[in-house]
Amino acid sequence: MEYLEDLVVGTKRGFGQYHVTREEVIAFAAKYDPQPFHLSDEAAAKTHFGRLSASGWHSCAMAMAMIVEDLKAHEHAGLGSPGVDELRWLKPVYPGDTLRLENELVEVTPSRSRPDMGSFRSRVTMFNQHDEPVMRFTSIALVRRRP
């Protein structure tokens, strides 16, 4: 089990692999972000994207899928998250891309009001198959302290 006390600022690691399909880009956009450049090759060709691209919110969902898959492989004392900071979509994500994540632990803070828990911040960067960063955010997570 990994607790707050086990976390070391500066720790870096890579994980995940997610292949983006045309079908899911269109399905996600149709339901959650129905802008023309996420739904149609013709509309996307008229924009700076040049071709069909995934919604930034879809990129966030794909990152979450990789994070949860990684969490399943390790026992952790996680308690959820109050949010993210500094979310940036750096480059478009296209159907056919294969994505991965890199994580760097940047802060570990014991709670002042809850002695049984604390929080940590991680800088998460999503890369495409060309090792180009396509998205970056700072994740804030809550975690138990060692009993």
Side-chain angles (χ1 to χ4, degrees), residues 35-56:
Q35 297 182 75
F37 47 84
H38 296 318
L39 297 169
S40 157
D41 292 310
E42 295 76 24
K46 297 175 187 172
T47 70
H48 67 283
F49 296 115
R51 60 188 169 117
L52 189 72
S53 64
S55 165

Side-chain angles (χ1 to χ4, degrees), residues 74-115:
H74 305 92
E75 276 197 77
H76 59 90
L79 297 168
S81 171
V84 299
D85 287 336
E86 303 168 352
L87 172 62
R88 296 290 181 264
W89 296 302
L90 306 170
K91 290 181 85 77
V93 170
Y94 296 111
D97 282 352
T98 300
L99 307 172
R100 66 179 178 82
L101 298 176
E102 286 186 4
N103 185 57
E104 179 183 2
L105 191 58
V106 295
E107 181 181 296
V108 177
T109 308
S111 173
R112 285 175 274 192
S113 62
R114 300 273 314 265

Side-chain angles (χ1 to χ4, degrees), residues 1-57:
M1 183 71 71
E2 189 173 63
Y3 294 96
L4 183 76
E5 292 80 5
D6 301 316
L7 303 175
V8 178
V9 171
T11 301
K12 295 180 184 179
R13 61 190 202 84
F15 60 94
Q17 185 171 5
Y18 195 100
H19 184 72
V20 183
T21 68
R22 175 182 174 76
E23 295 75 22
E24 77 171 307
V25 165
I26 293 170
F28 185 97
K31 186 165 186 176
Y32 300 109
D33 190 358
Q35 297 182 75
F37 47 84
H38 296 318
L39 297 169
S40 157
D41 292 310
E42 295 76 24
K46 297 175 187 172
T47 70
H48 67 283
F49 296 115
R51 60 188 169 117
L52 189 72
S53 64
S55 165
W57 299 111

